[in-house]
Tab-separated table of all heavy atoms in Angstrom:
chain	number	residue	atom	x	y	z
A	161	VAL	N	-1.684	4.358	8.525
A	161	VAL	CA	-1.849	5.645	9.357
A	161	VAL	C	-0.749	5.739	10.406
A	161	VAL	O	-0.825	6.648	11.143
A	161	VAL	CB	-3.237	5.712	10.017
A	161	VAL	CG1	-4.348	5.627	8.858
A	161	VAL	CG2	-3.519	4.665	11.097
A	162	GLY	N	0.152	4.810	10.397
A	162	GLY	CA	1.379	5.017	11.230
A	162	GLY	C	1.286	4.618	12.749
A	162	GLY	O	1.984	5.113	13.544
A	163	VAL	N	0.311	3.762	13.005
A	163	VAL	CA	0.064	3.420	14.498
A	163	VAL	C	0.060	1.814	14.678
A	163	VAL	O	-0.374	1.397	15.673
A	163	VAL	CB	-1.095	4.023	15.163
A	163	VAL	CG1	-0.916	5.489	15.266
A	163	VAL	CG2	-2.381	3.608	14.296
A	164	ALA	N	0.719	1.092	13.788
A	164	ALA	CA	0.708	-0.364	13.867
A	164	ALA	C	1.291	-0.755	15.161
A	164	ALA	O	0.875	-1.832	15.812
A	164	ALA	CB	1.301	-0.986	12.684
A	165	ASP	N	2.259	-0.055	15.662
A	165	ASP	CA	2.954	-0.469	16.893
A	165	ASP	C	2.060	-0.218	18.217
A	165	ASP	O	2.516	-0.634	19.200
A	165	ASP	CB	4.324	0.310	17.072
A	165	ASP	CG	4.176	1.768	16.860
A	165	ASP	OD1	3.080	2.253	16.364
A	165	ASP	OD2	5.096	2.525	17.292
A	166	GLN	N	1.030	0.401	17.951
A	166	GLN	CA	0.113	0.596	19.096
A	166	GLN	C	-1.139	-0.380	19.168
A	166	GLN	O	-2.011	-0.179	19.944
A	166	GLN	CB	-0.536	2.066	19.077
A	166	GLN	CG	0.557	3.182	18.746
A	166	GLN	CD	1.503	3.366	19.930
A	166	GLN	OE1	1.082	3.290	21.102
A	166	GLN	NE2	2.716	3.521	19.668
A	167	ALA	N	-1.114	-1.389	18.195
A	167	ALA	CA	-2.231	-2.213	18.044
A	167	ALA	C	-2.879	-2.830	19.309
A	167	ALA	O	-4.063	-3.032	19.362
A	167	ALA	CB	-1.958	-3.260	16.947
A	168	HIS	N	-1.979	-3.147	20.275
A	168	HIS	CA	-2.519	-3.875	21.410
A	168	HIS	C	-2.755	-3.013	22.614
A	168	HIS	O	-3.055	-3.515	23.656
A	168	HIS	CB	-1.549	-5.094	21.717
A	168	HIS	CG	-1.481	-5.981	20.488
A	168	HIS	ND1	-2.590	-6.780	20.084
A	168	HIS	CD2	-0.574	-6.208	19.581
A	168	HIS	CE1	-2.284	-7.423	19.003
A	168	HIS	NE2	-1.070	-7.063	18.617
A	169	LYS	N	-2.688	-1.761	22.419
A	169	LYS	CA	-2.961	-0.827	23.561
A	169	LYS	C	-4.482	-0.388	23.512
A	169	LYS	O	-5.151	-0.609	22.600
A	169	LYS	CB	-2.134	0.514	23.355
A	169	LYS	CG	-0.680	0.255	23.595
A	169	LYS	CD	0.002	1.523	23.667
A	169	LYS	CE	1.531	1.340	23.788
A	169	LYS	NZ	2.145	2.745	23.618
A	170	LEU	N	-4.905	0.162	24.679
A	170	LEU	CA	-6.196	0.776	24.730
A	170	LEU	C	-6.102	2.151	24.274
A	170	LEU	O	-5.103	2.804	24.411
A	170	LEU	CB	-6.736	0.662	26.220
A	170	LEU	CG	-7.016	-0.734	26.710
A	170	LEU	CD1	-7.395	-0.697	28.250
A	170	LEU	CD2	-8.130	-1.358	25.875
A	171	PRO	N	-7.219	2.666	23.801
A	171	PRO	CA	-7.200	4.053	23.220
A	171	PRO	C	-6.685	5.122	24.234
A	171	PRO	O	-5.823	5.956	23.838
A	171	PRO	CB	-8.640	4.360	22.984
A	171	PRO	CG	-9.274	3.002	22.571
A	171	PRO	CD	-8.496	2.007	23.506
A	172	ALA	N	-6.974	5.036	25.546
A	172	ALA	CA	-6.483	5.977	26.464
A	172	ALA	C	-5.021	6.010	26.660
A	172	ALA	O	-4.492	7.004	27.111
A	172	ALA	CB	-7.189	5.690	27.877
Side-chain angles (χ1 to χ4, degrees):
V161 301
V163 291
D165 52 342
Q166 313 292 320
H168 301 289
K169 290 190 183 170
L170 291 173

